[in-house]
Amino acid sequence: MTTWLREETPHDIFRFLREGDEGRHQTARVTADGASWLASAAGGRGTALARWESRPTSPAALPCGTVFDVVNVDPVFGRRMLDQLWTEGPGSGPVAVHRGRMMLFAAPGTAQRLPALLDWEEWGEEVPRPLCHGLGDAVTVPPLVPSGSAGPRWLVAPDTLHPWLPGPEVVLWACVRAVRATSAVDVRVSIFPPADPGANVYDVSRRR
């Protein structure tokens, strides 16, 4: 077992997270397995975990492209995407919010493929253009332990060693469904024909 999984440290983040996992499940709370998955994105996991062991309420910068990509979207549209993913689709991977944006963690390669798929899709122009973070990029991830501050926070926190991550086709599907759902709300369908502005209008409320 490697030293970064040591149990003797006074700031053992894994023991701390595991103790918090017992008897409860919180969607926005990172588990010990989720912390290990996040740290694996840094390559040299000991450094990331050593930082979190001493400051578990601090955010961290992690590279994209090998363990995950991130699709960074407008928060209102992102909520609509999540609604579609969870009500009609396969669900989502981890999701965070930071600086007024929503970050959907996706499968590696999504950042490169998604923009091209949106360009081909008929609804592509109606999708608020996402920022895609892939190989060569880094993102700020929320702290392992909520701090109550106004910084980044988890909406759906990582909780397993191998979380399911949507690929570019699934993210595209969620974008298209979010646009269609929004358009459907804006269309008002009536079974009655349009009123004739020149027609006589009678008050029938007084009829006996």
Side-chain angles (χ1 to χ4, degrees), residues 88-105:
E88 303 291 339
S92 74
V95 181
V97 291
H98 182 43
R99 293 182 176 176
R101 302 282 293 184
M102 183 177 291
M103 302 191 303
L104 287 78
F105 285 67

Side-chain angles (χ1 to χ4, degrees), residues 4-5 13-14 35-36 39 45-54 144:
W4 63 273
L5 282 174
I13 191 64
F14 289 97
S36 181
R45 295 181 288 184
T47 302
L49 289 172
R51 184 187 311 117
W52 271 327
E53 285 172 352
S54 59
L144 300 185

Side-chain angles (χ1 to χ4, degrees), residues 71-159:
V71 179
N72 187 326
V73 297
D74 170 85
V76 175
F77 191 77
R79 291 277 185 176
R80 292 169 181 161
M81 289 176 62
L82 283 183
D83 286 343
Q84 295 300 317
L85 285 169
W86 284 105
T87 58
E88 303 291 339
S92 74
V95 181
V97 291
H98 182 43
R99 293 182 176 176
R101 302 282 293 184
M102 183 177 291
M103 302 191 303
L104 287 78
F105 285 67
T110 300
Q112 181 179 5
R113 181 67 176 144
L114 181 61
L117 293 178
L118 284 172
D119 288 340
W120 280 97
E121 178 60 46
E122 61 177 320
W123 294 93
E125 293 182 357
E126 299 188 43
V127 175
R129 207 61 178 178
L131 302 175
C132 297
H133 307 289
L135 193 63
D137 299 325
V139 295
T140 300
V141 301
L144 300 185
V145 180
S147 62
S149 65
R153 61 186 178 88
W154 292 107
L155 293 181
V156 181
D159 59 357

Side-chain angles (χ1 to χ4, degrees), residues 178-189:
V179 171
R180 289 177 178 171
T182 304
S183 300
V185 170
D186 294 337
V187 176
R188 302 178 188 276
V189 179

Side-chain angles (χ1 to χ4, degrees), residues 194-201:
D196 183 353
N200 294 324
V201 180

